[in-house]
Amino acid sequence: MVDELRGHIYTASRDGTLDAEPVLELASSLDEWGVSTPATRELLGRPAAHLTTADLTRLGESLLGDTNFEPAFALEPSLWATLKHALEVVERDVRSGGINGALRLVTHDWDGSRHAWVEFQGSYHGNGIPPIVGNDAQGALAEVADAVQETIMELIWKVWPVCATHDRGLRAELEHVELPRFGRHIRAFGYAAA
């Protein structure tokens, strides 16, 4: 029930169609469980008729934050698309390293956290990738590369990626790179010595 309310608040807030009922219902449920936050107190202490659209949006988003809500792939398909694109980039590196086999992202019905899993040759390994990782393309690239590496190494016992110069394993990471010409930093993805 609470998950449905949070999902409804998230999508309605995103789409600009949020009304008072689900926000007040979530605040009441949290209050019944003894969860008191500034948002629940404000919502339950004010007459519903006095809540503006801006109030509902602000307080609904506060409730989502207070309950550590993260949208699933079904609610925010762009998160899946970001991870899928990252897998396409990493897959090119895998193929150039001489490793072949079906590589894809999957979800599992048994996984209550609704993570994405890297599947290689029909099997998977690791902890999965939370949907929220899809909010950042560079971070998604690093997470997907790490999951691919872990899965490949566990399933076929082969190190990937390997430094062409030193013949040693590498690991995926993000680093902060300064752009000298512009005087600012960016996050860049790459492989570093393990």
Side-chain angles (χ1 to χ4, degrees):
M1 174 71 168
V2 168
D3 283 340
E4 289 176 21
L5 286 171
R6 295 188 315 164
H8 179 80
I9 291 168
Y10 176 82
T11 55
S13 179
R14 177 193 66 202
D15 300 340
T17 60
L18 187 61
D19 59 38
E21 185 179 339
V23 178
L24 291 169
E25 194 172 339
L26 180 57
S28 294
S29 294
L30 293 174
D31 187 60
E32 287 173 12
W33 294 344
V35 176
S36 177
T37 68
T40 59
R41 290 189 296 275
E42 184 175 346
L43 282 161
L44 299 175
R46 288 177 62 181
H50 294 169
L51 294 169
T52 66
T53 302
D55 291 334
L56 290 172
T57 300
R58 174 180 55 82
L59 293 167
E61 289 173 357
S62 289
L63 290 178
L64 294 179
D66 293 341
T67 60
N68 299 316
F69 175 78
E70 293 180 358
F73 296 118
L75 291 178
E76 198 60 64
S78 65
L79 300 174
W80 183 264
T82 300
L83 294 182
K84 191 168 178 166
H85 176 70
L87 182 64
E88 291 166 0
V89 171
V90 172
E91 187 171 18
R92 288 193 296 266
D93 286 350
V94 170
R95 301 295 175 239
S96 70
I99 298 174
N100 295 309
L103 190 61
R104 65 186 189 128
L105 284 175
V106 297
T107 57
H108 296 285
D109 292 338
W110 54 260
D111 180 15
S113 60
R114 297 177 226 134
H115 287 174
W117 297 81
V118 171
E119 188 179 87
F120 178 67
Q121 297 179 341
S123 296
Y124 60 91
H125 183 75
N127 297 318
I129 303 168
I132 200 70
V133 169
N135 268 338
D136 173 48
Q138 290 293 312
L141 192 54
E143 288 286 330
V144 168
D146 186 57
V148 167
Q149 180 181 40
E150 183 177 2
T151 301
I152 285 174
M153 289 174 58
E154 182 64 29
L155 297 177
I156 66 172
W157 290 84
K158 183 172 182 174
V159 175
W160 173 87
V162 176
C163 175
T165 305
H166 303 101
D167 196 34
R168 298 193 65 158
L170 302 172
R171 71 182 181 318
E173 70 175 30
L174 285 174
E175 38 180 275
H176 293 278
V177 178
E178 186 171 339
L179 299 174
R181 185 172 168 203
F182 302 105
R184 63 176 195 229
H185 289 58
I186 62 167
R187 290 185 338 144
F189 169 77
Y191 298 108

